[in-house]
Amino acid sequence: VGCDRSKSLVDICGEKNFQAFVCDALSVPIRSGSCDACISIALIHHFSTAERRLATIRELARLLRPGGTALIYVWAMEQEYKSQKSKYLKENNGSKDTEEEIKTGMAQRPLSGPMPDSSSQDSACSDQLLNGLKDEGGDAEPVADSRLPVHTNRTSFHSQDLLVPWHLKGGTKKKGQSVDTVLLPAGSRGSEELSPVFHRYYHVFCEGELEAACRSLDCVRVQKSYYDQGNWCVVLEKL
């Protein structure tokens, strides 16, 4: 049985005679303790706060029977791990070097301010882990500039919270549908034309962050935690 927020995707499942329904991952309409196993792939990284990400894992655990297991995959901040580039980076077919690609990306980010140019992945991850451990009530000071950086596709991440552009290919704009546009990189074919693009929120996880969130719940036990092609993964068991 599958579920998704997108009715269009669920409709495709129905056409293929799969069992699927529309729902929210924070409130799944399935009886507690009724599942032998649950799979959450590329989902939790779309929730914008540590509290909501943890609530999603708690809801996943609620569905499991005692002894049941769950597999969770989230996008990793570390797209180069143990001197190996992820498939995501390897699929960069551009001929320009990384610096040029990043500059191009900054030139086409209409929704954000400049990306940090001196912070390392490690320091960004450390800050995020510390912030995630604060009380839910929160004493955090207001953020001076809440605009999110727009990621340049097929490059390393420079922020844990960002917008990833999804370019519309071969589609048509529906009535009343709002899309942003970006100028294609200079020199590329059709660079004088505007191409519709949607910006989707991601929180990319740093090493240990997903595992720490799972371990904070007393109803589950982490069986395994590992890295797989640009993703952090956890297998947990319901106690």
Side-chain angles (χ1 to χ4, degrees), residues 61-90:
R62 180 188 66 80
L63 303 176
L64 294 171
R65 63 166 176 78
T69 57
L71 171 65
I72 301 173
Y73 265 60
V74 295
W75 214 354
M77 176 89 171
E78 302 86 350
Q79 288 298 304
E80 188 167 345
Y81 186 68
K82 295 184 177 179
S83 302
Q84 294 291 323
K85 289 186 176 181
S86 68
K87 183 180 179 182
Y88 175 72
L89 292 184
K90 288 179 179 178

Side-chain angles (χ1 to χ4, degrees), residues 13-181:
C13 291
E15 293 168 3
K16 297 178 180 293
N17 295 318
F18 296 135
Q19 298 183 62
F21 57 90
V22 177
C23 82
D24 190 309
L26 290 170
S27 182
V28 181
I30 293 179
R31 178 167 46 87
S32 299
S34 60
C35 299
D36 294 316
C38 294
I39 299 174
S40 173
I41 304 293
L43 164 70
I44 296 176
H45 54 219
H46 288 302
F47 286 92
S48 60
T49 67
E51 291 76 22
R52 287 169 65 82
R53 292 189 287 271
L54 182 60
T56 309
I57 300 172
R58 185 182 291 111
E59 178 69 356
L60 193 67
R62 180 188 66 80
L63 303 176
L64 294 171
R65 63 166 176 78
T69 57
L71 171 65
I72 301 173
Y73 265 60
V74 295
W75 214 354
M77 176 89 171
E78 302 86 350
Q79 288 298 304
E80 188 167 345
Y81 186 68
K82 295 184 177 179
S83 302
Q84 294 291 323
K85 289 186 176 181
S86 68
K87 183 180 179 182
Y88 175 72
L89 292 184
K90 288 179 179 178
E91 287 179 353
N92 185 348
N93 296 321
S95 58
K96 299 180 180 181
D97 61 26
T98 303
E99 183 178 358
E100 288 177 315
E101 287 165 359
I102 291 176
K103 287 180 179 178
T104 300
M106 291 179 67
Q108 61 187 36
R109 52 184 82 238
L111 301 181
S112 71
M115 287 172 55
D117 56 4
S118 60
S119 61
S120 67
Q121 289 185 357
D122 290 340
S123 62
C125 289
S126 298
D127 290 343
Q128 180 61 33
L129 281 174
L130 288 173
N131 291 335
L133 294 176
K134 292 182 179 178
D135 293 337
E136 292 189 13
D139 299 327
E141 296 179 0
V143 178
D145 186 352
S146 61
R147 292 178 299 175
L148 293 172
V150 177
H151 177 61
T152 302
N153 285 322
R154 307 301 173 185
T155 64
S156 297
F157 295 115
H158 297 267
S159 171
Q160 279 195 276
D161 296 282
L162 42 82
L163 298 176
V164 175
W166 288 71
H167 297 266
L168 191 64
K169 295 182 180 179
T172 57
K173 181 180 175 182
K174 296 180 181 179
K175 184 178 180 181
Q177 187 180 52
S178 175
V179 298
D180 295 307
T181 57

